[in-house]
Every structure is written in C-alpha cells, then in structure tokens.
Amino acid sequence: KGSKKRLLVTNGNTITYEDVVKNLEMTRCDGIMSAEGILDNPALYLERLGSREDAANENSKLVEVKGGKVFEEWPKRDKWMKKMKRIESIEEKIKKEGINALDRKEKKKLSKKPKLQVKLKNCSKHGSTRVPLSTLYKIADDKVQLALEYLQLVKQYPTAMRTVIFHTRRILKSELTSYQLMEECLGCTSVEEVENVVLKIQGYQENPSSFHFDIEKSRKEKEALERKKIEEGKRKAYEARMMRKAKREGKTDLEYYLRQGASVPTLETVQELKTLSKDSQLKLWKDRDHSQHCMAFHLSGDCPRGRGCAFLHVASHTPNSFVESDEVAG
C-alpha cells in the first residue's frame, strides 16, 4: 500500500470461504471480490458473520440485514402493484370506450385505487431487520430458497432476462439438470416463468414421487451435449490453425483471423435469409460477418456434412443467449 492511505481489493479464484480467509491473510488487502464462486454460492461470505457452530447455539446471535424491511414487505407491495396495473388497463378502457363500458367488477376494482395508492406510499423504502444467524444458514443451505430470494430481488430491481436466467442457472445447475428442467429454464421469457421453474424443483423435492424421469428427453440432451463437445473441439482446432496462419504471415495480432466472420447470427438474420436467393444469402452471410458459421445448419437445423463440416454449428443468438465461459451475463 505504501505510505499513502489506499483501499486495496483482491480478486481471483475465490470459491470457498476458506479461500476468502487465506487470500486476505496472504495479500493483507482491505477487501475481496468474487465473480465465479459467488455465482454458484451467493452465500459465500456468510461465515464472516459467524460460524455454523455459532449458528447452532440456542441463543444464535441476531444479524442486522440492511434493507431487510423493504425485502420483507415486497410480496404485498408486488401484489398491490399488480392491482394498480389492472386499474391502469381499466382507465385505458374508459378513455377508449367511456365509463359506461365497465362492468360491475371493473368499477369495484377502480374504486379501490385511492386505498392502494396510500398503501404503496406507506411501504418501507429503507430500514433494516434483525435475523437469527441460524436462519441465514438455513436459507444458505437451500439452493431453491436462494434462487427464489434472488428472483424476489429481481422483481424489485429489474434486469435483463438473459442475466436472470444465467444467474438462476448457476445457482440451481445441479437441480435443473437432475429434474430435466434446464432447457425449460433457458427458454423462459419472464421472471414469472423462471420462478415457476424454480417452484417445480421445490415441488419435486418436497414430493419426490411426483417427478418422472423422461428417457427420450435424456437421450436428446445427451446428443445435444455431444454435439456441443464436438463443436468446442472444432473451435479449438480452428483457432489454433488461424493463429498459426497469422504467425506465418508475420502479423503482430495473432487473433486477427479469429475475428473475421466470427459474429453469431441472430434468429432475425436466419429468417431473413430464408426469403432470399442462394447468391443473396451468401452475400448477406458474408456482409454480416458470419462466414465462420455453417449457413446450412442455420437454415435447415441440420448440416449434410455432419461432423466433417469445417464451419461452426452454433445456435443463433436470442435475447437469452449466453456461453459457458461467461462470468457475469448482461
């Protein structure tokens, strides 16, 4: 740190709380960050508040949770906000069709607007709560509860769906795989849909006999995983070949050729291609920087060359797309 007062933060390979302690002891930094580790375990830093042994005591200490009051009140606030949205739609109907177009139920909902506004105004916007350490450890050990808590925070502080799916998948990767819900999770288009997937897992855990393993679905998932491994192997070979080419040509940027035609096509581009002639398709494919990718694979969902194809077979980009190497999506 030198003679000047500085706050130093360390980062890197922080997977467990033991890593946290060792890293701080070794570096003597003021703080520590985690990217990869905390995605899989959002409760990574919990032990700093007290050990499991401390939490096991009958008189487990109370921990101040900042913002906890807002979090506790969110379910009822969320309910009231949904009612206000329905009232807004009724008011839009009045603008278009007049007050006489409303039925008895709609008029009753509309009459509740002033009370709802007062309730929302009186909701806590700040404030802490005190929670037993034992309760925090109980939640930390329940991946489903952690995921539901994360989704509740997303409702309060909205973010991109791609990010929501990415983080939910990281928290519940084992459970999503075991209950064959991974593809359903990746295909979600709203926070509510993701929440329903998480609640399915909760239901299966509470009633194991309600889950029935789908053999055909498992077979397709294994085939998809095998295709992915093949594509990753082809990609590594292609990258090595292109870097050798750049080196032979004396380029200082060895990744020069890796950036040519590497852009992954979107579903919109693929749909547009299907309306064009062969020559126009090839031109558009090249102009939009997709030349590393197999056009036949995107147009038909299959490639006649199969494993022998020299081009990349990568799924088209969608708003929810991410790659395994992403550390923080969005």
Side-chain angles (χ1 to χ4, degrees), residues 108-125:
K108 187 176 180 180
K109 287 178 182 178
L110 187 62
S111 68
K112 293 180 179 179
K113 182 178 179 179
K115 288 184 178 180
L116 283 173
Q117 288 175 323
V118 172
K119 287 179 178 179
L120 285 168
K121 185 179 179 181
N122 292 334
C123 263
S124 298
K125 295 180 176 60

Side-chain angles (χ1 to χ4, degrees), residues 11-56:
N11 185 28
N13 201 32
T14 307
I15 307 299
T16 66
Y17 190 72
E18 187 178 11
D19 295 332
V20 173
V21 174
K22 287 182 177 179
N23 197 320
L24 290 175
E25 286 177 350
M26 183 177 68
T27 63
R28 298 187 181 182
C29 283
D30 301 286
I32 185 167
M33 296 189 299
S34 173
E36 197 71 18
I38 209 163
L39 286 173
D40 296 322
N41 178 20
L44 175 64
Y45 296 123
L46 177 58
E47 202 170 337
R48 73 186 176 87
L49 301 174
S51 67
R52 285 185 178 275
E53 289 73 21
D54 296 331

Side-chain angles (χ1 to χ4, degrees), residues 13-283:
N13 201 32
T14 307
I15 307 299
T16 66
Y17 190 72
E18 187 178 11
D19 295 332
V20 173
V21 174
K22 287 182 177 179
N23 197 320
L24 290 175
E25 286 177 350
M26 183 177 68
T27 63
R28 298 187 181 182
C29 283
D30 301 286
I32 185 167
M33 296 189 299
S34 173
E36 197 71 18
I38 209 163
L39 286 173
D40 296 322
N41 178 20
L44 175 64
Y45 296 123
L46 177 58
E47 202 170 337
R48 73 186 176 87
L49 301 174
S51 67
R52 285 185 178 275
E53 289 73 21
D54 296 331
N57 293 334
E58 287 186 16
N59 298 319
S60 175
K61 77 172 186 177
L62 294 175
V63 176
E64 183 182 3
V65 179
K66 293 182 179 179
K69 203 171 181 83
V70 181
F71 189 80
E72 283 180 352
E73 291 187 5
W74 173 255
K76 61 182 181 182
R77 184 167 177 253
D78 185 41
K79 182 180 176 181
W80 294 334
M81 287 172 67
K82 286 177 180 176
K83 287 184 177 181
M84 284 298 293
K85 282 186 178 179
R86 287 195 286 269
I87 288 172
E88 286 173 8
S89 65
I90 292 171
E91 289 175 332
E92 285 298 316
K93 184 177 179 179
I94 292 173
K95 288 179 183 178
K96 292 179 181 178
E97 304 175 32
I99 189 72
N100 294 328
L102 301 185
D103 59 30
R104 184 174 58 81
K105 286 184 178 180
E106 289 173 325
K107 289 178 180 178
K108 187 176 180 180
K109 287 178 182 178
L110 187 62
S111 68
K112 293 180 179 179
K113 182 178 179 179
K115 288 184 178 180
L116 283 173
Q117 288 175 323
V118 172
K119 287 179 178 179
L120 285 168
K121 185 179 179 181
N122 292 334
C123 263
S124 298
K125 295 180 176 60
H126 53 77
S128 301
T129 54
R130 299 180 72 80
V131 181
L133 183 60
S134 57
T135 301
L136 294 179
Y137 268 105
K138 185 178 179 181
I139 295 172
D141 291 336
D142 188 336
K143 292 290 186 71
V144 170
Q145 284 302 317
L146 282 176
L148 290 173
E149 187 172 312
Y150 165 71
L151 293 174
Q152 192 169 322
L153 287 168
V154 168
K155 289 179 182 179
Q156 289 178 254
Y157 310 103
T159 187
M161 270 308 300
R162 175 174 176 267
T163 303
V164 176
I165 291 170
F166 180 87
H167 289 158
T168 304
R169 170 187 171 277
R170 288 298 295 262
I171 296 170
L172 290 171
K173 187 174 182 180
S174 175
E175 290 78 6
L176 287 167
T177 303
S178 298
Y179 293 116
Q180 298 182 298
L181 291 169
M182 183 65 78
E183 289 305 312
E184 186 174 339
C185 179
L186 298 182
C188 289
T189 58
S190 69
V191 176
E192 288 70 28
E193 287 181 10
V194 178
E195 189 173 41
N196 286 336
V197 172
V198 177
L199 290 173
K200 279 186 183 180
I201 294 174
Q202 188 179 61
Y204 291 147
Q205 289 180 337
E206 293 173 353
N207 182 15
S209 62
S210 64
F211 173 69
H212 302 286
F213 189 80
D214 189 328
I215 297 175
E216 179 62 18
K217 189 175 183 180
S218 177
R219 183 186 66 78
K220 291 180 179 179
E221 286 173 350
K222 286 180 180 178
E223 288 178 354
L225 183 60
E226 183 62 28
R227 286 196 299 271
K228 183 179 178 182
K229 287 180 179 178
I230 291 169
E231 291 306 318
E232 288 174 349
K234 284 166 55 181
R235 180 64 186 175
K236 288 178 181 177
Y238 176 83
E239 288 176 354
R241 193 163 65 249
M242 292 299 100
M243 290 178 78
R244 288 196 298 271
K245 180 179 179 180
K247 189 175 182 180
R248 282 197 308 271
E249 294 178 357
K251 296 187 182 296
T252 54
D253 180 8
L254 295 182
E255 295 185 354
Y256 173 80
Y257 288 112
L258 296 179
R259 285 191 286 273
Q260 311 304 310
S263 177
V264 180
T266 63
L267 286 174
E268 289 76 11
T269 294
V270 174
Q271 290 302 319
E272 185 178 349
L273 282 171
K274 292 178 180 180
T275 66
L276 303 176
S277 65
K278 185 68 175 179
D279 289 341
S280 297
Q281 286 177 343
L282 291 170
K283 185 178 184 305

